[in-house]
Amino acid sequence: RDTATGRQRRLTDQNDHYEFYPSVSPDGRRVVYTTWDDQDLGSVRVAPIGGGASRVLTPEPGHYVEPRFSPDGSKIVYRKFTGGFLLAPFWSMEPGIYVVDAGGGEPVRVSESGFDAQFDAGGERVLFSESADITELALKSVDLAGNEERTHLQGAKVTEFSVSPDGRWVAFTEQYKAFVAPFARTG
């Protein structure tokens, strides 16, 4: 949307599948998003903001959500989940959180569980939320190879964590209230 005129412009120009979870690169030149089609399932794609063809980053169809760029725009993190019930159960093997180069390549699974992943401020670790039990949510991280897991925060009745782009603050919701606190990388 143009802030001066209020005119809206679509970033993609296809009608073959539905598009979800858009996230703009730090330099503002690309958008990463997921697709869905009931027959062909989904993918993670990157497209230039100015228009043009999108590039598929996932090597196989599947169930993909929540893609985000790294702070330097060189990598993308996303979540793959399983189908079943309302969604086709096909291509549901190896769910988890994945990291892939923004230019393409072989995705690396960094966690078998978790959701709402994002990179830390340096782009060296992947932060994600994970249910600790029925009433608690934990904010964890791993390195880009999926090693050195850390639990940074854990809270009863927390529903969401979000770390600031500079890595200095964490926002979270708890009991229908929003909070901001200093973020300690050590946990």
Side-chain angles (χ1 to χ4, degrees), residues 121-133:
E124 299 162 356
R125 296 186 66 80
V126 173
L127 299 154
F128 58 93
S129 295
E130 187 173 85
S131 295
D133 68 29

Side-chain angles (χ1 to χ4, degrees), residues 99-129:
V99 172
V100 65
D101 285 336
E106 189 65 30
V108 174
R109 184 166 63 167
V110 297
S111 178
E112 293 180 7
S113 61
F115 59 93
D116 203 20
Q118 68 182 84
F119 288 93
D120 71 349
E124 299 162 356
R125 296 186 66 80
V126 173
L127 299 154
F128 58 93
S129 295

Side-chain angles (χ1 to χ4, degrees), residues 14-185:
Q14 63 76 39
N15 292 308
D16 298 331
H17 46 255
Y18 295 108
E19 300 164 336
F20 300 96
Y21 297 98
S23 183
V24 177
S25 64
D27 65 6
R29 295 182 177 175
R30 296 169 291 163
V31 62
V32 63
Y33 60 97
T34 62
T35 65
W36 182 255
D37 178 271
D38 288 339
Q39 299 302 315
D40 298 329
L41 303 183
S43 63
V44 176
R45 296 175 182 241
V46 162
I49 290 282
S54 65
R55 184 175 58 258
V56 177
L57 297 178
T58 44
E60 59 191 28
H63 306 84
Y64 303 104
V65 292
E66 304 162 351
R68 291 189 181 151
F69 281 96
S70 62
D72 66 1
S74 68
K75 297 192 181 323
I76 292 171
V77 64
Y78 62 88
R79 179 168 59 106
K80 178 181 180 183
F81 65 96
T82 60
F85 302 108
L86 295 177
L87 299 175
F90 310 114
W91 297 100
S92 290
M93 299 298 290
E94 299 183 346
I97 297 173
Y98 287 79
V99 172
V100 65
D101 285 336
E106 189 65 30
V108 174
R109 184 166 63 167
V110 297
S111 178
E112 293 180 7
S113 61
F115 59 93
D116 203 20
Q118 68 182 84
F119 288 93
D120 71 349
E124 299 162 356
R125 296 186 66 80
V126 173
L127 299 154
F128 58 93
S129 295
E130 187 173 85
S131 295
D133 68 29
I134 289 201
T135 62
E136 290 199 16
L137 190 67
L139 178 64
K140 297 183 174 189
S141 73
V142 292
D143 66 17
L144 297 182
N147 300 317
E148 298 179 22
E149 184 177 295
R150 295 180 194 155
T151 300
H152 297 279
L153 297 166
Q154 188 167 326
K157 300 185 177 137
V158 171
T159 56
E160 183 178 7
F161 290 107
S162 183
V163 178
S164 65
D166 65 5
R168 296 179 55 209
W169 303 96
V170 61
F172 60 95
T173 55
E174 181 181 54
Q175 295 283 5
Y176 305 104
K177 295 181 178 106
F179 298 90
V180 176
F183 179 63
R185 290 180 48 98

